[in-house]
Amino acid sequence: MPKSLQDNICNEVMFSSFFKKHYQSLYSYLYYKFGDYLNPEDKTQEAFTKLWQNCGKVTPEKAKSYVFTIGNNMMLNEVKHHKVVLQHQKIKPRSHTNESPEFLMQEQEYLQKLQRAIGNLTESERTAFLMNRVEGKRHKEIAAILEISAKAVEKRIYRALSKLRQEIEEL
């Protein structure tokens, strides 16, 4: 066998064998480290594509660390990209809307009535309702914080919702 085939992974049979052996482990590594949201399968395939493109420079002994490093770096770049996107989404691009002034006025009135209705709830109902609906806490979590039973939390939230429906129906 010529020495050049042993020095790099450009041999199709060797590359195919390497791909079959390490594809799933690289995918699993990226999936468990970064989750499914950033599409680890695409990054795994791209890492192997880069290995093939640079096969003359990579020895078979270094190929595994090469694809894992490439895959990890691609995922880190994707994470950075998503952070930038989120920062730009926080910026409000314009101060005007396409809604009519009448709609905006009705929306403002509705929000005021909703705030008033929430203010009219008893303290226990308001606390349980806001912890559940605004903070996203579960009934068991609220029960532990307020040192009451989960059933009591359910009743408080149910009463709060009933009162809010009655007051908001008046709109």
Side-chain angles (χ1 to χ4, degrees), residues 78-109:
E78 192 71 20
V79 168
K80 286 180 188 176
H81 173 73
H82 279 280
K83 285 182 181 179
V84 170
V85 169
L86 288 174
Q87 286 294 346
H88 285 285
Q89 286 177 345
K90 288 180 183 178
I91 299 171
K92 294 185 180 180
R94 55 192 172 145
S95 60
H96 67 281
T97 62
N98 293 335
E99 288 88 17
S100 68
E102 181 182 349
F103 174 79
L104 294 173
M105 186 178 75
Q106 289 174 344
E107 182 181 37
Q108 188 66 29
E109 287 176 8

Side-chain angles (χ1 to χ4, degrees), residues 34-115:
F34 297 99
D36 194 36
Y37 178 69
L38 300 175
N39 205 352
E41 189 167 9
D42 282 355
K43 303 303 183 271
T44 303
Q45 291 175 2
E46 288 177 42
F48 279 99
T49 302
K50 286 196 185 261
L51 174 63
W52 181 251
Q53 291 169 346
N54 296 307
C55 67
K57 301 173 188 173
V58 181
T59 63
E61 297 82 32
K62 305 267 182 179
K64 182 176 179 184
S65 66
Y66 181 84
V67 292
F68 273 74
T69 302
I70 294 293
N72 191 52
N73 289 342
M74 286 179 169
M75 292 298 273
L76 290 173
N77 289 340
E78 192 71 20
V79 168
K80 286 180 188 176
H81 173 73
H82 279 280
K83 285 182 181 179
V84 170
V85 169
L86 288 174
Q87 286 294 346
H88 285 285
Q89 286 177 345
K90 288 180 183 178
I91 299 171
K92 294 185 180 180
R94 55 192 172 145
S95 60
H96 67 281
T97 62
N98 293 335
E99 288 88 17
S100 68
E102 181 182 349
F103 174 79
L104 294 173
M105 186 178 75
Q106 289 174 344
E107 182 181 37
Q108 188 66 29
E109 287 176 8
Y110 178 79
L111 290 174
Q112 288 173 352
K113 288 182 181 180
L114 178 63
Q115 288 175 346

